[in-house]
Amino acid sequence: MSPLLDAPDEAAWFNAVTRLADTWGFDRVLVAMLPRPGMRLEDAYLRSTYSPAWRQIYETQGFANIDPTVTHCLTRSTPLIWSPELFATRAQRALYEAACLHGLRSGVSLPIHGPQQEAGMLCVANNFKPTDAFWMQIDTVLPNLVLLRDLVIDTGRQHVHTHMQSRVPQLTPRERECLNWTARGKSTWEISHILSCSEAAVNFHVKNIRAKFGVTSRRAAAVIAAQLGLIDPG
């Protein structure tokens, strides 16, 4: 697994992950990671060799909300081997049938729970039917997949951090102060007195904050900022 450890950049790193998975019989790979709890799934770092058409269908249909592999990886630590029986409800069966049409018939999802509260999943898949031969293969390669998952956590952290930095709004020191006090329930008048400035100035900063977060309320911006680790509501 030295190519994974020695990868000079993100592209080489993910190529190393996919090559290892392919060596063990899986031609589809997905890595998804959130750097801290409470963040939206939409903000996850995600790299995959899944069909772009499938990724679009998956996101448009909101399949993450019913996908049993996602639920498992967010709440458990053990690997989950896919089987048709796993997709129990009508909506989940529709999800699985659509996935099969895009080459995702069999696979393994390995939960990611990192030492710095990272959460996510490493999924490897192929288009083979889950026959006895498939189960024998899983028994053989599962220890390697677990080791790969652990290495993905350790070696992928820098790529996740870079991804999140690109999505984090850049706040001025004053905007950060306003947002911190907003998260603590302070009004515009109270914040103006705490920061020794006018209410108009506070409102100016709050307007900029809302625009940077793409929300219509300061409370919503404070919630997102806390999830991203930009502020500590205390």
Side-chain angles (χ1 to χ4, degrees), residues 2-3 6 8 25 27 30 36 44-45 55-56 59 63 70 115 128 148 154 156 160 178 188 203 205-206 208 223 230:
S2 58
D6 300 333
D27 60 357
L30 177 143
R36 63 179 65 248
Y45 169 87
R55 288 300 314 161
Q56 183 175 3
E59 293 171 9
F63 280 153
V70 172
F128 302 145
L148 177 61
D154 283 346
V160 176
C178 288
T188 297
N203 287 330
H205 293 307
V206 168
N208 289 338
V223 169
L230 294 176

Side-chain angles (χ1 to χ4, degrees), residues 118-194:
E118 301 93 343
M121 61 200 304
L122 166 66
C123 297
V124 295
N126 57 39
N127 200 30
F128 302 145
K129 292 184 178 180
T131 61
D132 290 342
F134 171 77
W135 292 106
M136 291 178 63
Q137 175 203 14
I138 290 296
D139 287 341
T140 302
V141 304
L142 193 55
N144 289 332
L145 291 174
V146 172
L147 176 57
L148 177 61
R149 184 267 314 272
D150 293 344
L151 286 174
V152 164
I153 294 173
D154 283 346
T155 59
R157 189 173 295 119
Q158 58 179 320
H159 308 309
V160 176
H161 177 74
T162 300
H163 166 79
M164 293 313 302
Q165 288 300 111
S166 69
R167 300 180 69 91
V168 172
Q170 300 301 307
L171 301 176
T172 67
R174 190 59 107 185
E175 288 169 351
R176 197 182 299 269
E177 288 178 323
C178 288
L179 206 49
N180 256 314
W181 289 114
T182 295
R184 297 177 186 182
K186 300 300 182 182
S187 67
T188 297
W189 181 85
E190 290 172 317
I191 295 174
S192 70
H193 281 263
I194 293 170

Side-chain angles (χ1 to χ4, degrees), residues 18 47 54 57 63 112 138 148 179-180 196 219 227:
T18 59
R47 296 292 181 271
W54 169 242
I57 292 170
F63 280 153
I112 288 176
I138 290 296
L148 177 61
L179 206 49
N180 256 314
S196 300
R219 302 291 182 188
Q227 292 173 343

